[in-house]
Amino acid sequence: MLDEKQHIAIADELAQAEKDRTMVPLLTARFPGMSIEDSYAVQREWVRRGEENGRRLVGRKIGLTSKVMQEATGITEPDYGAIFEDQVYENGSTIEHAQFSNVRIEVELAFVLKEELKGPNCSIFDVLRATEYVVPALEILSSRIEMEGRTIVDTISDNAALGAMVYGGNPVDPADVDLRWVSALLYRNESIEDTGVAAAVLNHPAMGVAWLANKLHAHGDSLAAGDIILAGSFTKPMWVEPGDTVHADYGKLGSITCRFQ
């Protein structure tokens, strides 16, 4: 375990890396005793600074919930990060590529809550009752820590590699669609790059949200009405470059398009 001064020092490094669009060396290589709880303490310091500087927390992201993502990263357990209002983009947005590092895209579903959701025994049924609607979303990944050899401790400290999110398509009541069978086709510059089905996320994307509520309870926190929850990717990360246009077709749930400049 690390102490509070070390948590703050690591948060300082990450804040500078975000500002400079650079990466810091692996934390686990420099702090062999660093634990998952240490990494969430670093992330909480990240969130505290954001709110102190006037940023508004609007939700959370869940990562590493599918086999395809666990295989892509070599990490076998989920994690979570924070979403601020200035990280949320509407469908059709043009997004500055240079504000991120190692930019990749993932295909997800976002849950928007109408009620508070809290652990310790949150179930899939609690999630579905508390959800106002589900909407297609893309997550933009941005890494501020070296990628080769990352562990879950590095990823959590890096706010679960969240850069931003884009939402679009048709918001649906979770009772009106079998969320397990929501599928998407992911295109870059009019060429199809990947496909996926939402059941890849823990067999049902709402299971990720239940996991999150229970994990937050262990950290003395909960999900609030109005929160946006990115439930986890059901495609592998797709690299994007300046000038790329990304399009995700979710069938009956509509589509999302964004361009990177």
Side-chain angles (χ1 to χ4, degrees), residues 93-105:
S93 292
T94 297
I95 301 168
E96 181 189 355
H97 187 278
Q99 68 182 299
F100 308 115
S101 301
N102 301 288
V103 189
R104 291 144 291 149
I105 287 282

Side-chain angles (χ1 to χ4, degrees), residues 7-256:
H7 296 156
I8 292 171
I10 293 169
D12 287 339
E13 277 192 72
L14 292 170
Q16 192 63 45
E18 183 177 37
K19 181 180 178 181
D20 297 340
R21 277 66 163 177
T22 58
M23 291 186 293
V24 304
L26 289 172
L27 300 178
T28 42
R30 293 182 290 147
F31 304 100
M34 190 172 181
S35 68
I36 288 178
E37 291 308 309
D38 285 319
S39 59
Y40 278 119
V42 171
Q43 188 187 119
R44 285 192 292 274
E45 174 64 14
W46 179 300
V47 173
R48 185 196 68 77
R49 293 179 186 200
E51 293 184 309
E52 190 176 72
N53 291 328
R55 301 177 80 185
R56 188 169 76 89
L57 187 67
V58 296
R60 308 277 181 165
K61 67 149 285 186
I62 313 165
L64 308 173
T65 50
S66 65
K67 290 292 184 184
V68 67
M69 283 305 303
Q70 291 177 356
E71 289 171 0
T73 61
I75 299 170
T76 57
E77 59 182 297
D79 64 0
Y80 70 81
I83 305 173
F84 289 108
E85 186 175 35
D86 58 13
Q87 295 175 301
V88 180
Y89 290 88
E90 295 181 353
N91 198 1
S93 292
T94 297
I95 301 168
E96 181 189 355
H97 187 278
Q99 68 182 299
F100 308 115
S101 301
N102 301 288
V103 189
R104 291 144 291 149
I105 287 282
E106 294 177 349
V107 169
E108 311 203 8
L109 291 175
F111 287 66
V112 180
L113 301 182
K114 61 184 175 183
E115 301 171 6
E116 181 186 32
L117 199 58
K118 59 193 302 185
N121 299 307
C122 182
S123 71
I124 185 174
F125 308 111
D126 297 319
V127 172
L128 295 174
R129 280 192 295 266
T131 300
E132 184 173 7
Y133 52 82
V134 177
V135 65
L138 298 175
E139 181 179 355
I140 301 169
L141 296 178
S142 179
S143 297
R144 286 132 314 230
I145 297 176
E146 288 179 349
M147 296 181 63
E148 187 69 28
R150 284 166 70 111
T151 71
I152 193 166
V153 168
D154 298 292
T155 302
I156 293 167
S157 301
D158 195 18
N159 195 33
L162 177 74
M165 63 168 285
V166 186
Y167 68 90
N170 303 320
V172 293
D173 186 314
D176 293 340
V177 62
D178 185 348
L179 295 176
R180 295 178 68 248
W181 284 101
V182 172
S183 59
L185 312 176
L186 180 62
Y187 295 80
R188 178 176 52 207
N189 303 328
E190 301 180 358
S191 295
I192 191 164
E193 295 285 340
D194 207 349
T195 63
V197 178
V201 179
L202 298 175
N203 196 44
H204 193 296
M207 287 296 295
V209 183
W211 173 88
L212 174 63
N214 291 325
K215 191 70 172 179
L216 284 172
H217 174 79
H219 294 153
D221 203 351
S222 63
L223 298 168
D227 275 357
I228 303 167
I229 314 299
L230 282 174
S233 180
F234 46 98
T235 60
K236 63 182 180 295
M238 181 183 77
W239 289 87
V240 291
E241 303 295 339
D244 283 347
T245 296
V246 174
H247 178 76
D249 182 352
Y250 287 74
K252 292 181 180 179
L253 266 66
S255 61
I256 305 172

